Amino acid sequence: EVHLVQSGAEVKLPGESLKISCKGSGYSFTSYWIGWVRQMPGKGLEWMGIIYPVDSDTKYSPSFQGQVTISADKSITTAYLQWNTLEASDTAIYYCACGYLSGRFDYWGQGTLVTVSS
Amino acid sequence: DVVMTQTPLSLSVTPGQPASISCKSGQSLLHSDGKTYLYWYLQKPGQSPQVLIYEVSSRFSGVPDRFSGSGSGTDFTLKISRVEAEDVGVYYCMQGIHLPWTFGQGTKVEI
């Protein structure tokens, strides 16, 4: 059974850095792309970017390019989403999902709530 | 970015009755490979999204056959033949052909 387990909720101050994780199990980690989706409080879904763990080929939404870094370590079947400088507007639930380079996300993590507040 | 427009944005349904959600894209979602990369996702209250329909009309594994998708080009529809209580949540269409991939605003379905 495919599982994507995300790291726990975070509370950070503006200006701090953060790296959240998404660990895949129950499938061949290198068979799927891993994407990240943002959901701001009470809002809809926004696609942020996607990475292919085999070679770390990464594609970003222009809205998030330069704002976050997506990476993956296939040796430990884990993908990451990283911020160097958090802002209050980064407060959201972040979901990872595995799927294809076509928008199809078959399996989703449970979400990581990131709260940025002074 | 390709704009995905869903209607209605909210829907109150009676169990056992049908429901329909429309999704229109700002550009054709037909790829040169012949496939149309339009998906429907459901986010139940307090849960992560889940895929219901891929490539317009194919049901994902385990999705009940009361869910069906149709459409082509820029106009798509998700239909629920007989709504059940477990179908409540927010339904999103999403296009996967033009980067960045974009979701519709979501349609909240309530019983």
Side-chain angles (χ1 to χ4, degrees):
Chain A
E1 186 179 358
V2 176
H3 285 288
L4 293 175
V5 178
Q6 298 184 229
S7 49
E10 301 275 1
V11 179
K12 307 293 282 188
L13 294 171
E16 291 189 316
S17 62
L18 176 65
K19 191 173 189 178
I20 63 175
S21 66
C22 169
K23 182 171 177 60
S25 64
Y27 72 102
S28 173
F29 190 69
T30 52
S31 295
Y32 285 106
W33 290 70
I34 297 275
W36 289 93
V37 173
R38 182 175 79 174
Q39 187 167 40
M40 298 178 76
K43 301 300 184 182
L45 305 175
E46 300 173 87
W47 177 75
M48 302 176 70
I50 195 166
I51 188 167
Y52 190 48
V54 172
D55 57 9
S56 291
D57 182 16
T58 308
K59 303 185 189 301
Y60 292 94
S61 166
S63 297
F64 295 94
Q65 178 91 47
Q67 309 304 309
V68 298
T69 301
I70 294 172
S71 60
D73 184 341
K74 61 186 178 184
S75 70
I76 55 172
T77 66
T78 301
Y80 302 95
L81 180 63
Q82 179 178 353
W83 295 260
N84 289 333
T85 308
L86 285 162
E87 301 176 0
S89 58
D90 294 317
T91 295
I93 297 174
Y94 294 87
Y95 294 101
C96 67
C98 67
Y100 306 87
L101 190 59
S102 62
R104 174 177 159 182
F105 291 124
D106 287 358
Y107 302 99
W108 292 67
Q110 82 277 20
T112 295
L113 174 62
V114 173
T115 303
V116 184
S117 175
S118 56
Chain B
D1 299 2
V2 175
V3 176
M4 304 295 287
T5 303
Q6 290 182 227
T7 54
L9 297 183
S10 65
L11 195 54
S12 182
V13 296
T14 302
Q17 294 300 303
S20 179
I21 302 170
S22 170
C23 174
K24 297 184 187 298
S25 62
Q27 296 180 37
S28 174
L29 304 185
L30 175 62
H31 194 275
S32 56
D33 64 8
K35 297 180 181 180
T36 300
Y37 293 106
L38 184 282
Y39 306 89
W40 289 97
Y41 292 91
L42 165 60
Q43 187 174 29
K44 295 183 178 181
Q47 295 187 20
S48 303
Q50 61 188 89
V51 62
L52 294 176
I53 302 287
Y54 63 95
E55 293 166 21
V56 179
S57 59
S58 296
R59 275 188 303 275
F60 186 66
S61 175
V63 174
D65 60 8
R66 64 179 181 274
F67 291 94
S68 64
S70 63
S72 64
T74 60
D75 289 356
F76 306 93
T77 302
L78 176 70
K79 292 184 178 179
I80 310 173
S81 59
R82 295 173 304 280
V83 173
E84 298 189 5
E86 66 181 26
D87 299 337
V88 298
V90 182
Y91 291 76
Y92 296 93
C93 62
M94 176 190 161
Q95 63 85 15
I97 183 174
H98 303 288
L99 288 174
W101 299 337
T102 44
F103 291 90
Q105 318 97 300
T107 295
K108 187 174 184 178
V109 172
E110 301 172 303
I111 299 290

